[in-house]
């Protein structure tokens, strides 16, 4: 119920982010149409909340009459023959770039609106990190960036039937809600999934996807990079033991357990104070962790398996005893380590199984942080982008564009059945070859 309530809030926020394209007596109307394609309010044209800017899409070209609150009526023409059918924004002076409007309620808006032409705003936009961030958050971004949401151009009507939002917006806001600036600061029980009282730190949709994938493939060995609090390892092990009591999770982390616990305990303590989440603890402190280690179903290792040749020999010995092996990289999330991990560990994934690069959405989190002046936790991102790098999403984009990748691997977007995920584009399937 809590998740459903928050999804409604996210949908409402997405509608606000898409500038409240609302019909009725709102000071926004079609004055004349210059295109052959239809111009339907709320579908192919509309006005932003402040009515200083209008938008068109789908081939509509029109003059739109706007009336600002307590202000005069104004006609704004938008669109010319041959223009792209993508969303286009116009004001009285002509075409404008995608506006970033300050929110009056709900999530904070960007530092400066697009129509703000002050010297301070121009200097802000000229920062390389801001330019990267604006490109990252632009709905019309047309690059091959693998973390672009799968249903980027799908539109939905909000429950009140008066507004349109895109699944791209829902997915982006869903991620922001689960990120460091999101709901966990307001309603801790709405973040992630609990599993037998364990804080898994996995989102609702991704938990279902992973559970289904493990069960369907009958994976009997998961190699996890990034143990952190241990909740995910318990989740994987418990799922696999339901069909194979001898299944294992081999989980690596470069930090010692006590170091990680100091980071995990405050987060779980805050969440456990919410109604319905009493007694929630990090996986490392849960009885399941102790029991699963003792039974051999979880094998924790301190270190990076790609850092030592001997570690890879040990890994080869373990994976050779398994029928189905899946690798899940939930480690550093930066571009170069993710590429290195994939290149060195892909050999252990069995044909038909998956290599999952998690948190490919971090570039979105960091772009939002920079555009809303919350970049203190995400400062490395701007430096990485200046070097032409980024996080896991850009790593996957780099890998999947190569002929070498295509020979043996494929990027499987069908796994993202819910349309919203923290790992968009990160499910990489090893092909089954007829040899």
């Amino acid at each position: 119920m809590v998740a459903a309530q928050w999804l409604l809030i996210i949908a409402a926020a997405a509608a606000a982010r898409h500038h409240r394209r609302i019909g009725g007596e709102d000071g926004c109307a079609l004055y004349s149409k210059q295109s052959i394609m239809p111009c339907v309010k709320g579908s192919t044209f509309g006005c932003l909340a402040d009515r200083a800017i209008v938008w068109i899409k789908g081939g509509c070209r029109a003059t739109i009459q706007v009336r600002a609150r307590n202000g005069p009526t104004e006609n704004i023409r938008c669109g010319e023959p041959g223009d792209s059918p993508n969303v286009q924004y116009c004001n009285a002076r002509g075409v404008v770039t995608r506006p970033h409007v300050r929110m009056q309620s709900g999530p904070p808006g960007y530092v400066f609106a697009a129509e703000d032409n002050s010297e301070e705003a121009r200097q802000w936009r000229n920062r390389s990190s801001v330019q990267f961030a604006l490109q990252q958050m632009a709905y019309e971004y047309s690059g091959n960036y693998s973390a672009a949401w799968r249903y980027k151009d799908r539109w939905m009507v909000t429950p009140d039937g008066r507004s349109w939002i895109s699944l791209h917006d829902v997915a982006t806001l869903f991620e922001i809600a689960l990120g460091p600036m999101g709901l966990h600061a307001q309603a801790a029980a709405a973040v992630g999934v609990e599993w037998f009282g364990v804080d898994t730190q996995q989102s609702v949709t991704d938990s279902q996807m992973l559970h289904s994938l493990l069960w369907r493939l009958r994976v009997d060995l998961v190699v996890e990079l990034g143990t952190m609090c241990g909740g995910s390892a318990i989740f994987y092990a418990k799922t696999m033991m339901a069909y194979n009591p001898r299944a294992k999770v081999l989980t690596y982390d470069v930090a010692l357990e006590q170091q990680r616990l100091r980071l995990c305990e405050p987060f779980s303590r805050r969440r456990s104070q919410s109604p319905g989440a009493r007694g929630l603890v990090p996986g490392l402190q849960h009885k399941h962790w102790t029991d699963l280690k003792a039974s051999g179903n979880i094998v924790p290792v301190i270190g990076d398996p790609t850092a030592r040749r001997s570690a890879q020999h040990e890994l080869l010995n373990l994976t050779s005893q398994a029928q189905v092996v899946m690798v899940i990289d939930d480690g550093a999330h930066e571009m170069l380590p993710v590429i290195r991990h994939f290149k060195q560990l892909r050999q252990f994934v069995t044909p038909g199984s998956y290599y999952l690069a998690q948190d490919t959405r971090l570039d979105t989190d960091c772009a939002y942080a920079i555009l809303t002046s919350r970049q203190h936790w995400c400062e490395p991102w701007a430096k990485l982008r200046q070097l032409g790098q980024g996080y896991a999403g850009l790593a996957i984009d780099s890998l999947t564009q190569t002929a070498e990748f295509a020979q043996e691997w494929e990027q499987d977007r069908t796994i993202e059945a819910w349309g919203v995920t923290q790992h968009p584009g990160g499910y990489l399937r090893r092909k089954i070859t007829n040899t």
Side-chain angles (χ1 to χ4, degrees), residues 321-335:
Q321 302 173 37
Q323 296 295 315
V324 183
V325 180
M326 181 177 179
V327 176
I328 299 176
D329 186 352
D330 194 13
H333 301 309
E334 292 184 2
M335 182 177 178

Side-chain angles (χ1 to χ4, degrees), residues 13-291:
R17 181 174 178 265
H18 243 285
H19 319 301
R20 299 176 186 171
R21 304 170 180 176
I22 300 173
E25 298 178 0
D26 62 347
C28 177
L30 180 66
Y31 181 77
S32 64
K33 183 168 76 78
Q34 289 85 46
S35 61
I36 297 175
M37 300 301 290
C39 294
V40 180
K41 187 175 180 179
S43 177
T44 57
F45 86 88
C47 304
L48 305 198
D50 57 6
R51 306 190 194 106
I53 297 178
V54 302
W55 60 270
I56 59 169
K57 72 184 294 281
C60 168
R61 290 182 287 109
T63 299
I64 300 167
Q65 189 172 79
V66 297
R67 185 185 69 251
R69 292 182 180 85
N70 302 318
T73 298
E74 185 176 27
N75 291 339
I76 299 178
R77 178 166 176 165
C78 199
E80 297 293 338
D83 282 353
S84 167
N86 291 335
V87 178
Q88 185 177 130
Y89 298 91
C90 305
N91 60 17
R93 296 182 296 276
V95 176
V96 297
T97 56
R98 178 181 173 89
H100 301 288
V101 181
R102 290 181 183 271
M103 295 290 187
Q104 300 304 313
S105 61
Y110 295 160
V111 176
F112 293 99
E115 60 269 25
D116 188 339
N117 292 316
S118 66
E119 181 61 28
E120 186 181 9
R122 285 197 292 268
Q123 289 179 1
W124 178 76
R125 290 191 201 97
N126 284 334
R127 297 177 190 170
S128 60
S129 60
V130 172
Q131 291 176 8
F132 285 136
L134 288 170
Q135 183 187 48
Q136 179 68 35
M137 296 297 286
Y139 176 72
E140 295 84 2
Y141 184 66
S142 58
N144 291 321
Y145 182 56
S146 62
W149 308 104
R150 182 176 172 220
Y151 300 110
K152 184 175 179 179
D153 297 314
R154 183 170 296 182
W155 291 78
M156 300 177 293
V157 182
T158 53
D160 62 9
R162 301 169 62 196
S163 306
W164 287 83
I165 58 173
S166 71
L167 190 52
H168 175 274
D169 281 338
V170 173
T172 301
L173 284 161
F174 182 84
E175 167 50 36
I176 291 171
L178 294 178
M181 299 165 295
L183 300 180
H184 69 70
Q186 304 169 43
V191 180
V193 167
E194 300 169 35
W195 187 260
F196 295 105
V198 176
D199 181 5
T200 67
Q201 295 190 346
Q202 294 285 339
S203 77
V204 176
T205 55
D206 289 308
S207 296
Q208 191 279 331
M209 293 177 200
L210 283 165
H211 176 85
S212 175
L213 194 59
L214 292 170
W215 188 271
R216 176 157 47 87
L217 296 177
R218 293 297 195 265
V219 177
D220 50 9
L221 175 62
V222 165
V223 179
E224 179 189 39
L225 305 184
T227 310
M228 194 53 184
C229 305
S232 294
I234 293 174
F235 171 70
Y236 303 145
K238 282 288 188 179
T239 297
M240 294 190 296
M241 288 171 66
Y243 56 77
N244 180 359
R246 297 181 179 179
K248 292 181 182 291
V249 176
L250 182 61
T251 179
Y252 292 86
D253 205 292
V254 296
L256 296 175
E257 187 171 307
Q258 288 303 316
Q259 294 174 323
R260 286 180 274 128
L261 266 176
R262 284 197 290 270
L263 298 173
C264 299
E265 285 177 329
F267 184 79
S268 293
R269 190 183 308 118
R270 184 168 64 248
R271 287 194 57 198
S272 67
Q273 294 170 356
S274 299
R278 304 295 182 189
L280 186 67
V281 297
L284 298 174
Q285 291 183 325
H286 200 281
K287 184 177 184 296
H288 285 318
W289 180 259
T290 304
D291 292 345

